[in-house]
Each structure stands twice: as structure tokens, then as C-alpha cells.
Amino acid sequence: MHKVYLVDDDVFVRKGIKTLIGWESYGFTVCGEAGNGEDALEEIKELQPDLVLTDIRMPVLDGLDLIKHAKETLFQSPYFIVISGYNDFKYAQRALRYGVKDFILKPVDQDEIHQTLEKIANAIEVEYETKQIEDKMETVSELKKFLLCDKECNLSNEWKHPFLEETAYTFIKVELNGLNIDYQESFEQLENVLLSMEAQNHFICFEDNINCFGLVINNKFLSANNQTLDQFLHEWYRRADLDMHIYCGETVQKVEDLTTSYKTAKKCVQFKYLVDKPIITAAMIAEKDVFFIDLDQAYYDKMMECVEENNHEKIDKQLNKMLQACKEMKFAKDAWRTMVNRLNHKILKSIKESDGNEQEIANLKEMLEWDQYSLSLQQLQVLWGDFIKDAANILAKLNQNNVKGTIYQIKKYIHTHYDQPITLKSIANKFFMNPVYMGQLFKKTYGVYFKDYILTVRMDEAKKLLRTTDLKVYEVAENVGFNNPDYFVTQFEKIVGTTPSQYRKKLMDRIS
């Protein structure tokens, strides 16, 4: 109900206005009355009515001065209706200047006052709704700044909103899964479920990112809907009917501690591909850890072997092995991203080095931008698998139509088998080429003779072992494919300009 306050020095007039007008039918209730403007001003400050009906001529402080003082001193002035027995244009002119909503002459006509009350009640409703929207928008803005650790923001002291006056708060993050989503429509769907529930002043929602929705609720929201936090999360998920993940931070007791709830919700995100549920709460992961690590190089090498063979069945099996390994090793979501992008980089590099065009991969754009969106593990596996197999098809065509592709494979083979006996003839046989032609093509492609290239690779690896291990010289020789240590030392000195022992000693002297 809206509050109305009556001011008139004639007590019988006040009593008549109070009893003869159907206040409640217009949403009003009389909250107080006074016989002069001075007393009225003090009570208006305390009672904060929405509407004041006042006479003009009164002792101590007249009606127009009451309006003037109220406009000047109150943070939010009420609406005013002047009721006067004096039909004086100057009074009416001053009243209009002060923003009075109506000037009614005594005796009061009931139809006239009822029309005015209806008009003012509608205006109050519109103003109230507008103010609520503005207050909520300001609170949302300040809350977002607060969660981003803006030190200038102090929600508990600077902003007055029902949401900020409770005793428990929870931050909830939503990720919408999939590509080509109408995010605006999805956000509206999420918000409409909330708007259909009770206590609309006790939740704050906003877009958290391109595909994310942020929600903060307080204890009043849950109690008004007669739900526990867990019940609310599951009902919201069910009614929204979207492919999404919900991450719920821990509940905090003060609005100033919401950053803690926000951070624990973000921690829940890192468990996305480890928890086989669409709702992940801080309580569920309280005693669990995730790791920001990488897979062993062997997983990548094996996948690249499957890609180079263009064997789609093997690609699917290896992909399953990689994803399963990430689960078993408890990879954080960010670690999954690193793993996916690392393999993609290797695949695209292979296509480029074979003079191919990576733009021919059908879902290249989606795969390059996949981590900007939110994908379920199943969606990621399908998208990634299609990308890898499409890239394998392209590489297969390149290798069939371009001999340079074979030379590239030979070069890769050298780098992975330099520690084994390798000759021009053995490699040519392995790749079904004429040894003489292969040697000429290798020199033409890389600008160095096949034998010299093998020797360079072995010496680079030898230097690396001398720098990073304490292996003896003969052990280094064996590790890089030399059966004769003396021959290794001779070749090392010829290429590097110093013996292996001297090379290591120089490094040690430099360190000390």
C-alpha cells in the first residue's frame, strides 16, 4: 500500500477527507496527519509518505512553504496535492512551480479527487518499478566490479538494495555448451525461470562472458521459494532445459566475502571434464585436486603416426586413450585445453611443411576457437576427432601427390631414429624409393647431403647430452648411433671444433 499524509489546520476537514475518500481502492492508506506545515514536515521526514494532501493557509508554516522545504530538504520528496478554499491564481502558479500534481478547491469533489488519486497511484507504481530497475542495474554493475576485485567498490556501505541486506550469499556460474548458440535467447531463458520464482529482489544475474551467465542469490531467495540450494540448482537446470554446466561456489555469510564464492565457483570449472554431472558444487570438490600438467610425448607421437597413416580407426582409438589418460591423471580444464592445442599445432605444422593448405580442414575455424566457447567432453571429442581425421585425409593426399611429402617423412624418420643404424640404402628401401634419386631429392629439398644431415642431427643430440647429463663420452656415442667411440670423437671434433670432453669442460668452466 502507498502511504498518504494529510495536512490541514481544520481537524474536521482532515477527518472528512480521511473517512469519505476510498483510499484503499486506489492502493493508499493514511499514515498520519498534522494541523500545520511545521509539524507536518518533521513527520513527513520520519514517515516518508508517497503522497501528501495539504491546505495552503495554515499557521506557523503554510502549505506552499511546506512543499518548498520538502523539495529542498528531503532526499526523495513525496507527491503533493493542494486542497484549498482560495481560488487564487498566484497560489496555483506557485504550486505548479513546485511540481504539485493537482490543485483542488474546497469543498472537495469526490469524483475529482478519485481521478487524481488514480492518476497518482499509477505514477507512483511506474516510478517505483523504474526505481527498482535502476537500483538493481546499479547493484549488478557494482557487484560485477566487486567480483573483479575493484577496490573502490564497497557494496555493503555505498549501495542500498534489498539484495544487500541478507545474511548469506552464493555465486553461481553457468556455461552454455556448444557452438553456434543464440546466447541472448539462452540467457533470457535462464532469466525467465528466475523471474517466475519468488523474491525477485533477492537475486542478481548478468552475462559473465561470451558464453557464461553469472548469478548471485541470497538466503531470502531460497527461503521465499522454500528450497535448499541443491534443490534450486536442480530445478533451475531442469526448467531451463539447456545444454549447460552449472558451477556453484561456496556460500558466504557477508556480501563483502562474495569474491570467495566467486573463486570457488571458478575452481569448480576446472573439474568440468572430470565430473560426469552437469552441476558441480564447491562441496563436491572440497577434498579433490586437479593438476595443470601435460601428457607424455609418446601420446602425441603415436597420434601423429596414426594421422600420417591416415588410419581413422586408429585415430579414434588413440583419441580415446588420450582423453582417458587426462581423466585418470585428473587434468584441470585448462590442462585439457593445452593438450588439445599442442596436438593441433603439430598437425597444422605437418600440413604446412608438406606445402599443404590448412584452410581445407572443414572445421578449422571452430577448432582454432574451440576454447573461446564452452563444449561438453562429448562435443569436444566429436569436433576434435573430425578435425584430426580431416587433417589426416589432407596429409594423405599431399603425400600421394607430392614426393616432397615423402622427403619430409624421411627427415622426420631421421629425427626419431638417429640412434639406430641408418644408411641411404636402408631408408630408400623403407620408403620405396631409388637410393640415388632419393639422395638427389633430399639434397635439393634441404640443401645438404643425406649423410651430412644425419651426422648433424647426431652431433646436435650429442651436444645436448653433454650439456644435460653426466654420461661418459662412449655412452653419449652409443646414444646417438655410433658403435665406435673413437670415430665419434673424430667426427665431433671435426664438426664442433673441439673434443667432447673439452666441449663439456668449457661449459663447466663457464658455469663456475
Side-chain angles (χ1 to χ4, degrees):
M1 297 288 281
H2 308 307
K3 295 186 291 186
V4 63
Y5 191 89
L6 308 178
V7 191
D8 197 299
D9 60 346
D10 188 331
V11 65
F12 295 106
V13 172
R14 297 203 306 270
K15 195 169 290 185
I17 294 174
K18 188 174 180 180
T19 56
L20 295 176
I21 296 173
W23 297 105
E24 290 190 3
S25 61
Y26 296 98
F28 287 97
T29 180
V30 177
C31 66
E33 55 184 275
N36 65 75
E38 186 175 64
D39 292 342
L41 185 61
E42 291 304 313
E43 285 209 312
I44 288 170
K45 289 179 181 178
E46 182 182 343
L47 297 173
Q48 298 181 354
D50 301 288
L51 172 65
V52 175
L53 269 71
T54 181
D55 192 7
I56 289 183
R57 291 190 178 182
M58 294 181 296
V60 187
L61 189 69
D62 70 21
L64 292 179
D65 284 333
L66 166 64
I67 296 169
K68 180 175 181 293
H69 280 73
K71 297 284 186 182
E72 292 174 349
T73 60
L74 297 180
F75 175 75
Q76 187 169 349
S77 176
Y79 287 94
F80 282 93
I81 296 175
V82 170
I83 299 178
S84 175
Y86 300 93
N87 187 8
D88 190 320
F89 178 71
K90 289 182 180 179
Y91 285 145
Q93 195 175 39
R94 279 185 67 194
L96 288 172
R97 197 160 58 238
Y98 293 149
V100 169
K101 289 300 177 184
D102 210 342
F103 193 102
I104 299 174
L105 292 175
K106 295 178 182 178
V108 175
D109 181 83
Q110 282 197 2
D111 289 340
E112 184 180 4
I113 191 69
H114 284 172
Q115 288 177 7
T116 300
L117 289 177
E118 184 175 8
K119 188 165 54 178
I120 291 178
N122 290 335
I124 290 172
E125 285 295 332
V126 171
E127 187 177 279
Y128 176 75
E129 290 175 6
T130 302
K131 182 71 165 55
Q132 273 197 318
I133 293 170
E134 290 175 350
D135 286 350
K136 194 160 187 176
M137 288 176 65
E138 280 186 322
T139 305
V140 170
S141 176
E142 290 304 305
L143 186 63
K144 288 178 72 173
K145 285 166 58 179
F146 181 72
L147 293 175
L148 293 173
C149 302
D150 187 334
K151 294 179 181 178
E152 296 180 0
C153 175
N154 190 332
L155 288 172
S156 61
N157 294 333
E158 295 182 9
W159 299 97
K160 302 298 179 185
H161 189 276
F163 175 82
L164 305 175
E165 298 169 2
E166 297 304 316
T167 57
Y169 300 86
T170 309
F171 178 83
I172 300 161
K173 183 183 180 76
V174 174
E175 282 186 343
L176 297 166
N177 295 323
L179 302 169
N180 305 315
I181 295 173
D182 186 334
Y183 292 115
Q184 191 59 45
E185 182 179 324
S186 298
F187 290 150
E188 288 176 5
Q189 204 164 326
L190 285 165
E191 190 171 14
N192 285 338
V193 176
L194 297 170
L195 291 172
S196 69
M197 304 177 80
E198 299 296 326
Q200 294 181 20
N201 272 331
H202 294 276
F203 74 82
I204 296 290
C205 58
F206 51 86
E207 292 183 31
D208 189 29
N209 209 328
I210 185 173
N211 62 334
C212 297
F213 185 91
L215 171 68
V216 186
I217 60 174
N218 61 28
N219 55 301
K220 184 67 175 288
F221 177 79
L222 292 174
S223 62
N225 289 285
N226 195 29
Q227 290 179 323
T228 65
L229 178 59
D230 191 59
Q231 287 171 336
F232 161 69
L233 293 173
H234 283 84
E235 182 182 349
W236 193 33
Y237 177 82
R238 178 183 61 79
R239 291 177 58 185
D241 193 27
L242 295 167
D243 187 348
M244 62 185 184
H245 271 73
I246 296 176
Y247 311 99
C248 181
E250 67 179 61
T251 299
V252 295
Q253 304 308 309
K254 296 187 295 184
V255 71
E256 300 97 305
D257 295 333
L258 259 174
T259 49
T260 299
S261 186
Y262 180 74
K263 289 174 183 175
T264 52
K266 287 182 68 177
K267 182 181 177 182
C268 290
V269 176
Q270 297 298 337
F271 286 79
K272 178 171 185 174
Y273 298 140
L274 302 179
V275 177
D276 191 24
K277 294 180 180 178
I279 300 173
I280 304 174
T281 67
M284 290 168 58
I285 65 164
E287 303 298 324
K288 298 178 181 178
D289 289 314
V290 289
F291 300 97
F292 296 82
I293 51 179
D294 196 2
L295 289 177
D296 187 83
Q297 179 65 37
Y299 283 97
Y300 298 100
D301 292 342
K302 182 62 179 177
M303 178 59 87
M304 290 305 299
E305 183 181 310
C306 298
V307 169
E308 288 159 6
E309 292 177 3
N310 195 24
N311 188 318
H312 289 199
E313 184 178 347
K314 285 186 176 181
I315 287 172
D316 284 335
K317 287 181 178 178
Q318 182 61 15
L319 185 56
N320 281 326
K321 285 182 181 178
M322 293 178 75
L323 298 180
Q324 187 59 36
C326 291
K327 280 188 173 184
E328 292 172 357
M329 296 168 68
K330 296 182 173 59
F331 271 36
K333 183 187 175 189
D334 287 347
W336 288 73
R337 181 178 67 237
T338 300
M339 180 266 298
V340 172
N341 291 344
R342 180 180 172 187
L343 179 61
N344 290 350
H345 174 74
K346 288 178 176 292
I347 291 172
L348 295 176
K349 184 180 179 184
S350 293
I351 293 175
K352 186 176 181 180
E353 288 180 345
S354 297
D355 289 338
N357 181 7
E358 68 271 12
Q359 297 298 326
E360 293 178 9
I361 301 176
N363 64 356
L364 176 68
K365 182 178 184 297
E366 289 82 359
M367 197 67 244
L368 291 179
E369 298 176 355
W370 79 273
D371 55 350
Q372 297 178 26
Y373 301 90
S374 174
L375 299 179
S376 67
L377 184 54
Q378 183 180 5
Q379 289 169 343
L380 172 59
Q381 186 168 358
V382 171
L383 179 71
W384 199 21
D386 290 345
F387 169 83
I388 296 171
K389 285 178 274 192
D390 206 11
N393 290 336
I394 292 171
L395 279 170
K397 290 178 182 177
L398 289 169
N399 290 335
Q400 288 171 3
N401 302 327
N402 188 353
V403 179
K404 192 173 181 180
T406 304
I407 291 299
Y408 167 70
Q409 296 301 319
I410 291 171
K411 180 184 174 185
K412 283 190 66 178
Y413 186 88
I414 292 170
H415 280 270
T416 55
H417 297 81
Y418 61 84
D419 58 335
Q420 301 172 17
I422 297 177
T423 64
L424 178 63
K425 186 176 180 180
S426 66
I427 292 294
N429 288 338
K430 182 175 181 61
F431 288 89
F432 308 102
M433 295 183 72
N434 179 280
V436 176
Y437 176 69
M438 193 202 87
Q440 293 172 343
L441 192 58
F442 192 96
K443 174 67 166 61
K444 182 180 179 181
T445 304
Y446 296 112
V448 61
Y449 288 107
F450 177 80
K451 185 178 179 180
D452 292 339
Y453 187 81
I454 294 176
L455 192 59
T456 300
V457 170
R458 285 172 168 166
M459 290 305 159
D460 286 343
E461 291 298 323
K463 287 191 288 184
K464 182 179 178 181
L465 290 173
L466 289 167
R467 289 195 307 268
T468 60
T469 73
D470 58 356
L471 293 174
K472 294 180 172 55
V473 171
Y474 77 87
E475 292 175 321
V476 172
E478 289 176 358
N479 273 275
V480 296
F482 285 86
N483 293 325
N484 186 331
D486 293 334
Y487 181 70
F488 164 69
V489 172
T490 301
Q491 293 300 315
F492 188 97
E493 187 173 10
K494 180 180 177 182
I495 292 173
V496 181
T498 180
T499 67
S501 300
Q502 290 171 338
Y503 177 82
R504 177 178 274 169
K505 185 175 184 303
K506 283 183 181 179
L507 288 175
M508 298 301 293
D509 291 341
R510 197 177 303 160
I511 293 172
S512 60

